[in-house]
Amino acid sequence: MNAGAGTGGSGAAHPRIVIIGAGIVGCSLADELTARGARDVTVLEQGPLHAPGGSTSHAPGLVFRTNVSKTLSDFAAYTVEKFSALTEDGRPCFDAVGGLEIATTGQQWAELHRKAGLAASWGIEGELVDARRCAGLWPMLDAAKVAGGFHTPGDGLARALPAARAQTVRARARGARFLDRHTVTGIEREAGRVTAVVTDRGTFPADAVVSAAGFWGPVIGAMAGVPVPLLPLAHQYAKTSVLAGPDGRRPVLRFQERGLYFREHVEEGAAGPGTGRIGIGSYAHRPMPVGPSAVPAFDDAPVMPSSLPFTAEDFAPSWEDSRWLLPALDGTRVEEGFNGVFSFTPDGMPLLGEAPGLRGFWLAEAVWVTHAAGAAKAVAEWLTEGRPATDVHECEISRFEEAQLSPAYVTERGTQQFAEVYDVIHPLQPPRRPRPLRVSPWYERQRELGAYFLEGAGWERPHWYEANAPLADGIALPERDAWSARHWSPVAAAEARATRERVALYDMTPLKRLEVSGPGALDFLQYLTTNQLAKKPGSVTYTLLLDDAGGIRSDLTVARLAAGRFQVGVNSGMDLDHLTRHAPAGVQVRDITPGTCCVGVWGPRARDLVQPLTRTDFGHRAFGYFTARQAYVGEVPVTAMRLSYVGELGWELYTSADLGLRLWDTLWAAGQRYGVVAAGRSAFNSLRLEKGYRAWGQDMTTEHDPYEAGLGWAVRRDKGDFVGRAALEGRSAGTARRRLACLTLDDPAVTVMGKEPVYVDGAPAGYVTSAAYGYSVGRTVAYAWLPARAAVPGTAVHIEYFGEKAAATVAAEPLFDPAMEHLRR
């Protein structure tokens, strides 16, 4: 057992792990931990075992594995696999009745084609079926109202309470303790790490504490001084009176256009064979937030703490929609119902991992039954082995910025997540509120230029500028379908052309940057990353952060500004947390993003624009590629780095936030003679794909190593030891069994968006990671994971987009300027 890495460096031979909460997540986690050798595991539960009154106790148990998130699909697949093998009283803890999602409109039918593509990408069996087949699977359906459906035979119903009990039996047999009627009253801490859990029945020393308390998570977090960005909301579930038809083998039915799902309930003592009730869940009602501190204790609750009184008036429209879809319900009534409380986060994803700022305090929160076993497995691997096998960056608690942890933000976004849980969400669709939250110093200038803003990590990020619309006149572009035309404009083509032909200003302020300083800063960064950083001040290096298994946990741009001072461009707060955790005494890691800003000046006229504004020599010989210098641009002191993520000559210019507007105005005024434009992320993404630049989190994650991702050149094994080096022994580009490949669509009129399945020899073999229309190459460019045998230039493949297979070809990369002439002008 990897005690040091997994439990916050406790070093104990058998770390004391205390799990708070004996719902499905807590029980699954105890089982997964003890299966991996953990011997001192205690599960504390405030209610009785094994129906403690949290969300598990009332969960309807639906498991639909297909999700836009590969991570959640993987979690759900493991839940199905594990619960299918668990039994209680001879009955499996998972009923593989299948799943059926139906569409009654053309728009939703198109969405089911997209969902079928996701299923193929993630290896989930599924089939698009016509209305007649839908009615055969669910005879109560009015087939005349159905356009079609998506049937997934491996989905079904998890029996959450039996699964919790079965896993408890197994964990106890390996030495775990389960103690009910223990209410947690405090978390003891010392020197920045957790030391014990205090309950009303005693104190439990701990090396690691895992909060799996469900919607009580924020209460437990407050005891530890850790914000838990989770909002409990009530969700309505009702059962009809008894009717003929249910046999317990119908698939779980989803009617997402009206925010509804249906399942059968066939109970012992039913009125007769083929009789039962229909359970109906609704997300169509108003959001009903619940304060976790206001939820009654188990003994004080009329039914259970998570089951609130049913509000029939909220359910009335859903009942009418149910009867419209299932006419057989006309002779029935809503016989019982409740408003069940469960958890939502600002982005709809779970909260997993060790909390920043408190060593040994872990979260396994906001996990639905669908994903329970998979999430528990990931946390158990993390605790015992130092890393989960599944990429979990979408779930890590440190993904949130400080502003995203405020109660007001969590409430606003959590409520929105509830309202949108069954909505069709475009991959670029930004949240509506609260906005604007974080803005660059030139936000008002961007608004004046007609910026179309999307949002990321709370930042307003221009996607294009309407002021450039006249420049798009005359640019011939293929017509887009309705889906790919959302959050897109032909203006992006004009901005990409301006970058290739003249010069453009890009707002790079939202990209997170850290300062790492101190006498040991170089040795620290050398050990954590793969590339050689022992270079003279003024050097800039692209490098990778790996985990112990050689997976890519991030990519960094490291600028050595002085002997003991580095500026590090990172991807998110997860990198800040990682570097902070591992920094030795004497090394300081500081987030400088909020007090600084950055503008990218890129294009063949970039030097013409910048050089007259500074006395520093920006010539190629004096200021080479991947170097950094301190300079003045006009009156503004800047850190200038000769880098380019778009494949053109240029610099990233950093300055303090108070001088940002002056920097922008200076560059803008000087650039008019060169036809300067402000350019947005839409053009940026197209240009970076043409150049073959990877985006961490999209194109590669911890599930991939550098050689598979085509980044072996950023690994310098001869520099000495570094994290992940041992795991890379024996690996190379030649040994990789899969590769990230560049594809171009054969038909210039076809566009794809990302996450579509890629077919090789007629069978699904991989999936698209990133895609955009390449305005310089005149066709869509996509990157995709493929088997190594297929990732060879010239290989013919197909990409499925909304049910249509589009021909594509594996291409040599980069597509644009392979000789690097544009960058080294």
Side-chain angles (χ1 to χ4, degrees), residues 119-396:
S121 290
W122 312 148
I124 297 168
E125 181 187 359
E127 179 188 13
L128 290 164
V129 295
D130 61 18
R132 182 176 179 180
R133 176 63 174 149
C134 290
L137 291 165
W138 251 85
M140 293 184 189
L141 277 171
D142 183 347
K145 296 170 181 172
V146 175
F150 178 50
H151 180 224
T152 45
D155 290 338
L157 295 166
R159 301 172 58 233
L161 290 177
R165 289 192 291 265
Q167 291 177 102
T168 298
V169 170
R170 301 200 319 184
R172 275 178 167 160
R174 303 186 194 109
R177 292 188 298 169
F178 286 76
L179 304 176
D180 62 359
R181 299 294 186 173
H182 281 66
T183 299
V184 174
T185 58
I187 306 293
E188 292 187 351
R189 297 163 278 166
E190 184 178 339
R193 67 166 297 110
V194 70
T195 59
V197 177
V198 182
T199 76
D200 58 351
R201 298 177 64 179
T203 298
F204 296 82
D207 299 301
V209 173
V210 185
S211 178
F215 60 79
W216 286 288
V219 177
I220 302 299
M223 296 178 190
V226 172
V228 178
L230 175 161
L231 181 70
L233 288 116
H235 156 63
Q236 292 197 301
Y237 190 78
K239 292 181 182 179
T240 68
S241 53
V242 174
L243 74 162
D247 61 5
R249 303 313 305 163
R250 308 290 181 207
V252 182
L253 178 66
R254 287 209 291 195
F255 183 26
Q256 292 181 272
E257 293 158 76
R258 304 292 175 88
L260 294 169
Y261 63 83
F262 306 86
R263 59 156 294 186
E264 295 182 319
H265 291 275
V266 179
E267 296 123 359
E268 293 183 12
T275 61
R277 300 193 287 173
I278 302 299
I280 307 170
S282 172
Y283 291 101
H285 55 79
R286 62 187 172 91
M288 295 184 273
V290 178
S293 299
V295 175
F298 185 90
D299 292 327
D300 298 329
V303 181
M304 66 178 79
S306 63
S307 181
L308 304 181
F310 186 64
T311 50
E313 65 277 12
D314 289 309
F315 192 75
S318 292
W319 177 237
E320 291 304 312
D321 288 338
S322 300
R323 293 168 60 204
W324 177 83
L325 183 70
L326 307 175
L329 298 182
D330 280 343
T332 68
R333 67 184 187 281
V334 175
E335 193 166 77
E336 62 180 89
F338 61 91
N339 292 0
V341 182
F342 65 138
S343 305
F344 284 83
T345 59
D347 59 5
M349 296 296 289
L351 304 174
L352 307 179
E354 192 175 18
L358 183 59
R359 302 297 297 272
F361 186 80
W362 292 69
L363 297 179
E365 299 288 12
V367 179
W368 295 5
V369 171
T370 300
H371 312 113
K377 175 177 177 284
V379 174
E381 290 170 336
W382 220 336
L383 279 161
T384 59
E385 302 164 25
R387 70 180 293 272
T390 301
D391 165 51
V392 294
H393 81 272
E394 295 174 312
C395 307
E396 285 198 45

Side-chain angles (χ1 to χ4, degrees), residues 112 265 541:
L112 292 187
H265 291 275
T541 307

Side-chain angles (χ1 to χ4, degrees), residues 439-463:
V439 298
S440 71
W442 38 81
Y443 175 67
E444 289 304 323
R445 296 291 187 268
Q446 293 168 336
R447 292 185 64 192
E448 291 167 5
L449 292 170
Y452 183 89
F453 290 102
L454 299 184
E455 189 254 27
W459 288 99
E460 294 296 312
R461 309 188 74 174
H463 216 49

Side-chain angles (χ1 to χ4, degrees), residues 527-528 546-551 721-729 731:
Y527 180 66
L528 281 188
L546 303 184
D547 60 24
D548 288 333
D721 197 19
F722 56 85
V723 175
R725 185 182 188 278
L728 296 182
E729 288 297 328
R731 301 192 208 179

Side-chain angles (χ1 to χ4, degrees), residues 263-593:
R263 59 156 294 186
E264 295 182 319
H265 291 275
V266 179
E267 296 123 359
E268 293 183 12
T275 61
R277 300 193 287 173
I278 302 299
I280 307 170
S282 172
Y283 291 101
H285 55 79
R286 62 187 172 91
M288 295 184 273
V290 178
S293 299
V295 175
F298 185 90
D299 292 327
D300 298 329
V303 181
M304 66 178 79
S306 63
S307 181
L308 304 181
F310 186 64
T311 50
E313 65 277 12
D314 289 309
F315 192 75
S318 292
W319 177 237
E320 291 304 312
D321 288 338
S322 300
R323 293 168 60 204
W324 177 83
L325 183 70
L326 307 175
L329 298 182
D330 280 343
T332 68
R333 67 184 187 281
V334 175
E335 193 166 77
E336 62 180 89
F338 61 91
N339 292 0
V341 182
F342 65 138
S343 305
F344 284 83
T345 59
D347 59 5
M349 296 296 289
L351 304 174
L352 307 179
E354 192 175 18
L358 183 59
R359 302 297 297 272
F361 186 80
W362 292 69
L363 297 179
E365 299 288 12
V367 179
W368 295 5
V369 171
T370 300
H371 312 113
K377 175 177 177 284
V379 174
E381 290 170 336
W382 220 336
L383 279 161
T384 59
E385 302 164 25
R387 70 180 293 272
T390 301
D391 165 51
V392 294
H393 81 272
E394 295 174 312
C395 307
E396 285 198 45
I397 179 60
S398 54
R399 70 188 183 270
F400 292 109
E401 297 290 318
E402 186 175 1
Q404 296 175 299
L405 297 173
S406 71
Y409 184 94
V410 173
T411 298
E412 182 67 53
R413 290 287 173 93
T415 299
Q416 187 174 334
Q417 286 296 324
F418 176 89
E420 294 177 347
V421 71
Y422 270 5
D423 287 357
V424 177
I425 304 296
H426 191 275
L428 296 178
Q429 182 173 319
R432 294 189 298 272
R433 300 180 300 273
R435 294 179 63 193
L437 183 63
R438 309 174 79 189
V439 298
S440 71
W442 38 81
Y443 175 67
E444 289 304 323
R445 296 291 187 268
Q446 293 168 336
R447 292 185 64 192
E448 291 167 5
L449 292 170
Y452 183 89
F453 290 102
L454 299 184
E455 189 254 27
W459 288 99
E460 294 296 312
R461 309 188 74 174
H463 216 49
W464 69 82
Y465 296 85
E466 283 298 327
N468 297 324
L471 301 177
D473 293 342
I475 298 179
L477 295 171
E479 185 176 349
R480 291 204 166 205
D481 64 278
W483 184 254
S484 65
R486 293 190 197 180
H487 307 294
W488 174 85
S489 168
V491 174
E495 294 173 1
R497 174 179 286 184
T499 307
R500 292 279 189 238
E501 297 178 354
R502 300 191 304 278
V503 62
L505 304 183
Y506 287 82
D507 182 4
M508 306 302 288
T509 300
L511 301 187
K512 200 169 193 67
R513 48 204 165 271
L514 313 177
E515 181 183 82
V516 180
S517 60
L522 174 60
D523 291 341
F524 168 59
L525 291 171
Q526 277 279 75
Y527 180 66
L528 281 188
T529 71
T530 61
N531 213 336
Q532 178 60 263
L533 304 181
K535 304 173 184 177
K536 63 183 180 180
S539 63
V540 181
T541 307
Y542 176 85
T543 188
L544 305 173
L545 277 178
L546 303 184
D547 60 24
D548 288 333
I552 304 172
R553 63 168 299 124
S554 192
D555 61 346
L556 313 178
T557 302
V558 180
R560 191 174 192 183
L561 303 181
R565 183 166 65 91
F566 297 80
Q567 181 171 312
V568 183
V570 300
N571 285 292
S572 70
M574 291 178 283
D575 296 331
L576 170 62
D577 180 52
H578 183 69
L579 267 63
T580 301
R581 287 181 188 278
H582 290 85
V587 173
Q588 293 80 44
V589 179
R590 185 167 65 95
D591 184 3
I592 61 173
T593 314

